[in-house]
Amino acid sequence: MVSPLAARPSAFLRRRPIPALPRRRLISATPLRPPPHPSAASPPSIRHHRRRRRPKPSFFPARSSPSQSDSPNPASPPLPPPPPREGAKPIPLAISLAVGLAIWLLVPTPAEVTPQAWQLLAIFLSTITGLILGPLPIAAWAFLGLTTSVATKTLTFSAAFDAFENEVIWLIVISFFFARGFVKTGLGDRIATYFVKWLGKSTLGLSYGLTISEAFIAPAMPSTTARAGGVFLPIIQSLSLSAGSEPGDRSAGRLGSYLVMSQFQSSSNSSALFLTAAAQNLLCLKLAEELGINIASPWLSWFEAASLPAIASLLVTPYILYKIFPPEIKDTPDAPAIATKRLEEMGPATRNEWVMICTMVFAVSLWIFGDDLGISSVVAAMLGLSILLLFGVLNWDDCLSEKSAWDTLAWFAVLVGMAEQLTNLGIVTWMSNCVAESLQHFSLSWPAAFCILQASYFFIHYLFASQTAHVGALYSAFLAMHLAAGVPHVLATLALAYNTNLFGAITHYSSGQAAVYFGVGYLDLPDVFRLGFITALINALIWASVDPQAYSGTILNFLLSAKEDFQMDYKCNYKFTNSWDAANVSITDTGRLISANFILEDSIRWRSASMGSTRRRGETTKPSLSRTCSRQGGRPRWLPFGFVVPSAGLQSMACVVRPASKGGGGAASFHLACRF
C-alpha cells in the first residue's frame, strides 16, 4: 500500500515548511536527536526530495564539535566571505587623479612649453602615480591613461598607438616566448642541475653553481622572472626541503633562506652582464637612440663594458652573503647525488631540447653580429621563434597562454609611447635644461652631477614595483639630464641601463623576480630590505672601481679619465687680433671616437667658446653635438660641456674660441681631449 505522503510529496511540502537543518543532519542516516517535528521523520523519498529542491549551501564548516551537533537549536552556518572588490581602489584612484589634475589645472604652464605638452605631462604623471599606487592592474590603468590622452585630443589616435610598432617592445614580447621554451623543454632545469652536480658539495659551492648557471643561460633567456620562477626556484626548493629547511618555519635558515637570498641578489648582475639577458636592457638603448645616442655593435659594446664588474659582483655576492647571512648547514654532500639522480630521471637530452639549443645559439649569434649582416635584433628573435614553432617546440597556444607577454605589450607600449611624445613635444629637453641650470648654479662638475643623478635614479626605484615601468617613466628624462650636465653620452647611457638591473633586488616588490623569490616563504621582509641595501652599495662600489687601469669601460675610469685628458689631445695656441677673430681646433678622424671634452686654458678674457660637429652629406642622423658657453674671463677651468660621439653621420668635430673685446691682446691655449 502506497503512503499518501509518498504519492503526493508536493502537497505535503506546501502545507509543512521544511525546517532549516545543518548539512550534517540532512545526510545522516540516523539522527542524533529526535526531529523537532514528526514530519522530519518522513520516508527516504521525502529526504531525497528535500535535497533536490533545497539550494546547495556555499559554505560548510570544516569541523563540527559534538556540542554543536547535539544542540537542539543549532546556530546557522557562517556566512561566506565577501567577494573581492571589483573596480578601482578609491584612495589610490583619488590620489592618482589629483596629481594629474593639479599639474594640469593649478600649475601654470611654463613659457617654454606648449599647452599640449603640459597637458600630456599631467596625464603621464597621473599614469605613473597610478602605476605606483595601483588603483587598477597596471595594463588597465595604462589603458585609461591612453584613452584620456586621445579623448582630450592631447594626442591623435595614430600618435597614441605609435609605440605598438616599436621593435624593442615586440622583442620583449618574443623574449617571453623564448623563456617559455626553456621551461617547457626542461633545458634550463637540465643546465642548472649539471652545475649543482659539479659544484654542490658545500652550501657556498651550491650557491656558486646556481649563480654561474644563471649567468650561462641568461643571454638566451631574456627574462629574469622566468629564470627565477621556471628554473632556479624549483631547484632551490627541492634542495632545501631535502635538507629539512621548510619555508615559513624556523628551519628556513638551515639552507633555503641563504640560497634564495643569494640567487635573488646575484640575478641582478646576471641581467646586467648581457644586453639580451633582460627586457629592460633593450628598451634602454632604444630610448637612448631617440636622444641621438647610437652605440655601434651594441651587444658586444654592452658585454665589453659590463663583463668585468658583473663577473666580479657574481663572484663576490654569494661569499659576502655567506658571511653576513650565513646558513646553518655549511656542507651539502647529498646535493650532487640528488642532482645526479635528477639527471638520470630526465634521461638524455630530448629532440626539443636540442632544437632549443640550436635556436638559441642561432639567435644569440645574430644578436651579436646582426649589425654587420644587416639583421636587426627583433628580426633575429622572430626567426628564432619561427624555428621553435616549425619544429613544435612551442605551439601557438603556448604563445597565447603567455599572459605576461601580452600584458607587457599593452601597458609598456603605452608608457613608451607617452615618453616618446614627451620628447617630441620638448618636455624632456625643458626638464633637462632646468636641471642643468640648477647644477651649474651649484658649480658642480659633470662627475659630481653624474654621481648625484645616478644615485637619484637608483633610490627612486623604492617607489616602483617594476623595472620596465621605471625605465619607461624616467630613463629618457634622466638621460637628458646627464647630457645637459655634460656627462659623456655612452657613460650616461650604459650607467643608467646597468643601474636599472642592479636596483631589481632592493625590495620584495622591486621586480618580477623579487616577487617570485620572496613569495616562496624563505625570506623575512626586514632581511630583504637590509641585505638589498647592503648588496646595492657593494655592487655600486664594484661597478665603479673594478680594475680601472686595465679596463677602460668602468665608471671610475671614466671619471679618472676626465683628469687625465682622456687619451689624446688636439691642442691649439692662438693669438687674437680683434673681437671677430676666432681660434679653433678640429679633428676629422672620428671613426673610432667615443667621447670628447673641450678644455680651455686661457690668458685673455674670452667672449664665448663652442663645440660642434658636421654631418656627412646625405646623412639624416642628428649627432646633436652643438653647445656654446659664455663667460667673462677668469682662471683656467673645464668648460661645463662634453660629448660622446655617435659614429654614424659624423664627419668632423671642432672647438672655437672668440675673445671678449676688440683688440684681443692675448693668446688662448685650449685643446680637444678625446677618447678613442
Side-chain angles (χ1 to χ4, degrees):
M1 181 175 182
V2 180
S3 169
L5 292 179
R8 301 182 58 193
S10 59
F12 170 77
L13 293 175
R14 284 196 299 268
R15 291 194 301 269
R16 299 289 184 179
I18 299 174
L21 298 177
R23 175 71 173 177
R24 183 170 178 176
R25 289 208 177 165
L26 285 176
I27 64 176
S28 175
T30 304
L32 295 178
R33 297 179 65 87
H37 192 276
S39 63
S42 302
S45 59
I46 299 299
R47 296 204 310 270
H48 175 75
H49 188 72
R50 288 174 186 168
R51 290 205 307 270
R52 181 170 57 85
R53 291 288 301 270
R54 190 161 175 249
K56 184 178 180 180
S58 60
F59 176 83
F60 300 100
R63 294 182 179 178
S64 179
S65 64
S67 61
Q68 291 175 337
S69 300
D70 296 341
S71 174
N73 297 310
S76 59
L79 295 176
R85 175 186 291 274
E86 299 289 341
K89 301 175 184 176
I91 296 179
L93 175 64
I95 296 175
S96 302
L97 294 178
V99 169
L101 292 174
I103 296 173
W104 189 352
L105 302 176
L106 300 181
V107 180
T109 304
E112 301 88 349
V113 178
T114 64
Q116 178 191 7
W118 193 252
Q119 191 168 310
L120 180 60
L121 177 63
I123 297 173
F124 181 73
L125 293 179
S126 178
T127 304
I128 296 302
T129 305
L131 294 181
I132 296 172
L133 300 179
L136 285 172
I138 293 179
W141 184 251
F143 181 77
L144 263 63
L146 181 69
T147 303
T148 303
S149 66
V150 176
T152 58
K153 298 183 179 181
T154 306
L155 295 176
T156 63
F157 186 88
S158 59
F161 284 85
D162 183 62
F164 284 86
E165 300 177 2
N166 191 307
E167 292 184 358
V168 172
I169 294 177
W170 282 102
L171 179 58
I172 293 171
V173 171
I174 296 175
S175 72
F176 282 95
F177 303 149
F178 283 167
R180 187 176 185 89
F182 267 92
V183 176
K184 182 179 179 180
T185 61
L187 178 60
D189 192 8
R190 182 182 296 274
I191 293 173
T193 305
Y194 267 112
F195 278 97
V196 172
K197 176 183 176 181
W198 296 332
L199 301 175
K201 293 183 179 180
S202 66
T203 302
L204 184 59
L206 189 60
S207 177
Y208 275 118
L210 294 170
T211 298
I212 295 172
S213 61
E214 179 166 8
F216 184 79
I217 67 175
M221 193 174 183
S223 173
T224 315
T225 305
R227 295 197 300 267
V231 178
F232 293 99
L233 189 58
I235 295 176
I236 292 174
Q237 284 181 297
S238 177
L239 294 169
S240 301
L241 293 174
S242 65
S245 182
E246 300 279 348
D249 188 73
R250 292 183 178 180
S251 62
R254 289 172 57 83
L255 183 64
S257 296
Y258 167 73
L259 289 181
V260 171
M261 181 64 74
S262 177
Q263 196 68 19
F264 175 33
Q265 297 297 332
S266 299
S267 64
S268 298
N269 288 287
S270 299
S271 299
L273 180 56
F274 302 100
L275 175 61
T276 52
Q280 63 269 12
N281 299 346
L282 303 163
L283 180 64
C284 289
L285 295 195
K286 180 64 177 179
L287 295 176
E289 288 180 8
E290 295 173 0
L291 293 178
I293 304 173
N294 297 287
I295 300 178
S297 301
W299 202 98
L300 290 175
S301 298
W302 179 289
F303 177 74
E304 180 185 0
S307 56
L308 282 184
I311 292 173
S313 294
L314 288 172
L315 295 176
V316 168
T317 300
Y319 181 77
I320 291 179
L321 291 174
Y322 187 78
K323 293 297 183 181
I324 64 177
F325 191 62
E328 297 175 9
I329 297 177
K330 307 297 183 182
D331 297 316
T332 54
D334 295 334
I338 295 174
T340 302
K341 182 178 179 181
R342 185 163 185 168
L343 289 171
E344 292 176 354
E345 293 173 353
M346 291 180 181
T350 63
R351 166 187 171 273
N352 284 352
E353 288 181 84
W354 282 112
V355 173
M356 193 74 201
I357 292 173
C358 295
T359 302
M360 290 299 96
V361 171
F362 172 73
V364 172
S365 299
L366 288 182
W367 286 334
I368 297 174
F369 305 108
D371 285 349
D372 298 331
L373 301 175
I375 300 176
S376 65
S377 297
V378 67
V379 173
M382 292 170 66
L383 291 173
L385 178 59
S386 299
I387 293 173
L388 297 180
L389 291 172
L390 287 173
F391 282 88
V393 177
L394 293 176
N395 55 53
W396 193 241
D397 286 336
D398 293 326
C399 298
L400 291 177
S401 61
E402 194 65 34
K403 295 181 180 180
S404 56
W406 304 113
D407 188 65
T408 300
L409 171 66
W411 68 264
F412 204 29
V414 173
L415 280 187
V416 173
M418 286 188 179
E420 290 177 354
Q421 294 301 322
L422 287 173
T423 301
N424 295 337
L425 294 174
I427 284 289
V428 174
T429 302
W430 169 74
M431 293 176 62
S432 62
N433 290 337
C434 292
V435 173
E437 291 177 1
S438 301
L439 295 175
Q440 289 180 3
H441 177 73
F442 292 102
S443 300
L444 293 177
S445 61
W446 73 258
F450 170 82
C451 294
I452 293 173
L453 291 173
Q454 287 289 325
S456 301
Y457 182 77
F458 186 94
F459 288 109
I460 285 176
H461 191 66
Y462 278 101
L463 301 176
F464 282 87
S466 168
Q467 292 167 288
T468 47
H470 190 154
V471 171
L474 298 178
Y475 184 88
S476 295
F478 269 84
L479 181 56
M481 295 176 195
H482 279 75
L483 304 185
V487 180
H489 292 30
V490 170
L491 171 60
T493 300
L494 294 182
L496 287 172
Y498 296 146
N499 245 344
T500 301
N501 291 284
L502 298 180
F503 58 45
I506 57 176
T507 67
H508 64 297
Y509 57 83
S510 57
S511 59
Q513 65 270 22
V516 170
Y517 284 124
F518 179 75
V520 74
Y522 278 105
L523 301 179
D524 293 329
L525 195 57
D527 291 331
V528 174
F529 276 83
R530 177 175 61 89
L531 296 176
F533 182 78
I534 293 174
T535 307
L537 295 180
I538 294 172
N539 283 331
L541 180 62
I542 292 174
W543 279 78
S545 59
V546 167
D547 196 9
Q549 298 301 322
Y551 183 64
S552 59
T554 59
I555 293 173
L556 180 60
N557 196 56
F558 269 109
L559 300 180
L560 293 175
S561 64
K563 298 182 179 179
E564 296 170 357
D565 293 343
F566 294 89
Q567 296 184 4
M568 185 175 294
D569 289 346
Y570 293 86
K571 297 184 178 181
C572 177
N573 296 302
Y574 191 84
K575 186 173 182 179
F576 295 96
T577 58
N578 57 64
S579 61
W580 302 107
D581 202 356
N584 70 81
V585 58
S586 63
I587 59 172
T588 57
D589 51 339
T590 61
R592 297 181 62 240
L593 183 63
I594 297 175
S595 59
N597 274 276
F598 188 13
I599 308 168
L600 177 65
E601 300 170 353
D602 56 5
S603 57
I604 64 166
R605 292 168 60 84
W606 54 273
R607 181 179 60 188
S608 67
S610 63
M611 181 179 186
S613 64
T614 59
R615 295 201 304 263
R616 295 190 183 97
R617 180 176 299 178
E619 179 62 52
T620 58
T621 303
K622 296 181 180 180
S624 302
L625 298 177
S626 179
R627 193 173 300 165
T628 299
C629 179
S630 301
R631 74 183 184 96
Q632 299 297 322
R635 61 182 178 7
R637 63 189 288 263
W638 283 78
L639 289 185
F641 56 83
F643 299 101
V644 170
V645 181
S647 58
L650 187 62
Q651 183 178 28
S652 64
M653 202 158 191
C655 299
V656 180
V657 174
R658 299 184 184 277
S661 59
K662 292 183 178 181
S669 298
F670 63 99
H671 54 278
L672 182 62
C674 300
R675 172 181 168 77
F676 290 88

